[in-house]
Amino acid sequence: MRPKLGILAGRGNLPVQVIRACMEQGRPFFVIAFKNQTPKETVAGDHIPHMWVRLGAAGKAIKRLRDEGVEDLVMAGAIVRPSPLAMMPDVTVLKFFIKTGAAALGDDGLLSALVRTLETEEGFRVIGAESLLPEALAAEGVFGTVRPGVQALEDIQSGIVAARELGARDLGQGVVVKGGRVLDVEGKDGTDAMLERVRLKKQTAGEAEKPGGVLVKVSKPGQETRADLPAIGIETVHAVADAGLSGIAVEAGGALVVGLDEVVKAADRARLFVIGVKVPEGL
């Protein structure tokens, strides 16, 4: 039997997909759900063993994972990062902040430090969600029936460059580009917030009825891929449609498409393209 898996569950559909994969494979698992972060429906039902903790209560979570016999850990789903004080950190978190200087790190730096700590000091093995959901790793090419036009393909290339520059500063993984111009970039508030800003900008400019522009999501240079691969799901498709964009481009081999079949169906219905693209070497 494969080692018991601990699932650190954040927002979105990825934790649900990971839980489903464990159940289908007969793999034992235990979920850590975070208050004010993890949707309640993620762990609804007596068939999902779980524990609710504050984001800052790492010591309590680690003890429970050990008591449950967990050996492997996966980080699944987005976490909105609060300030260190808002986390109400316990002793374990305080030691982590002091030792790593995590409070001053960007998101990827923080996650890289967290992965190292969980493995070298706490004795867990951290694995990527794609090892549990290999079918979710984006392939190269168009996924649905809608294909990007010439302008969209140019916007995708501009978006790749802009997103990698953004990622190099550890600020985000996604951008929206239209006509070669960056309309907005992803911040700590995430992709959905960026798309809502784009929707409001287009509405204000009177462009709400003129589809155009592309959401581009790629990994950061040197990113800790086990913790925070870029991901899209059906919610992303709906938000892109609401923002009046023409499609989505994700990094082939470097991003997750969560619930691929549902994503493709929703994109086709909305007449949006979804495409996996390679990031040129050197970017």
Side-chain angles (χ1 to χ4, degrees):
M1 182 178 289
R2 298 173 70 184
K4 191 169 187 178
L5 180 69
I7 302 170
L8 306 181
R11 303 177 183 221
N13 196 38
L14 184 57
V16 175
Q17 296 288 334
V18 170
I19 291 169
R20 185 177 301 162
C22 287
M23 297 177 72
E24 290 174 351
Q25 297 166 13
R27 181 170 187 173
F29 67 94
F30 187 83
V31 182
I32 297 295
F34 298 101
K35 296 176 181 178
N36 302 318
Q37 299 277 350
T38 311
K40 292 181 180 179
E41 54 269 25
T42 298
V43 291
D46 295 336
H47 61 294
I48 300 178
H50 67 278
M51 171 191 189
W52 285 96
V53 298
R54 290 186 300 101
L55 193 57
K60 185 177 180 181
I62 288 171
K63 181 180 185 305
R64 182 62 181 272
L65 289 168
R66 287 208 181 98
D67 291 344
E68 292 288 337
V70 166
E71 297 179 41
D72 290 352
L73 286 179
V74 64
M75 300 179 188
I79 294 289
V80 176
R81 180 177 172 181
S83 69
L85 286 178
M87 286 178 66
M88 295 185 291
D90 64 8
V91 173
T92 301
V93 174
L94 283 172
K95 287 181 178 178
F96 171 71
F97 279 143
I98 293 169
K99 186 170 183 178
T100 65
L105 297 175
D107 286 346
D108 195 54
L110 173 64
L111 290 170
S112 296
L114 179 58
V115 168
R116 287 195 302 272
T117 299
L118 288 170
E119 290 197 321
T120 61
E121 297 186 18
E122 303 298 345
F124 298 106
R125 184 172 75 106
V126 180
I127 63 176
E130 71 278 5
S131 66
L132 300 155
L133 302 167
E135 72 282 358
L137 193 63
E140 188 173 7
V142 178
F143 299 151
T145 61
V146 182
R147 305 186 69 84
V150 174
Q151 182 61 63
L153 290 172
E154 293 177 359
D155 285 344
I156 289 169
Q157 294 307 311
S158 298
I160 291 172
V161 174
R164 290 289 279 186
E165 290 176 351
L166 184 72
R169 291 179 284 148
D170 201 3
L171 297 175
Q173 301 169 316
V175 300
V176 173
V177 178
K178 181 181 180 183
R181 181 169 64 92
V182 176
L183 297 185
D184 212 321
V185 301
E186 185 183 64
K188 295 187 184 302
D189 51 358
T191 303
D192 287 347
M194 173 182 64
L195 291 170
E196 176 61 11
R197 290 194 299 271
V198 170
R199 186 188 71 80
L200 292 173
K201 286 178 183 177
K202 293 186 73 172
Q203 190 176 60
T204 301
E207 298 181 0
E209 302 302 322
K210 299 177 182 178
V214 182
L215 166 65
V216 181
K217 294 197 72 169
V218 302
S219 61
K220 300 173 183 177
Q223 179 171 338
E224 173 50 78
T225 58
R226 291 172 294 173
D228 190 29
L229 273 183
I232 65 167
I234 192 168
E235 301 92 345
T236 316
V237 174
H238 294 324
V240 164
D242 289 343
L245 305 183
S246 59
I248 304 169
V250 294
E251 181 180 352
L256 299 175
V257 182
V258 183
L260 177 60
D261 290 344
E262 291 80 7
V263 165
V264 169
K265 289 176 184 176
D268 284 349
R269 284 195 299 269
R271 302 304 300 160
L272 300 172
F273 66 80
V274 182
I275 185 172
V277 294
K278 288 290 187 182
V279 173
E281 291 186 14
L283 280 183

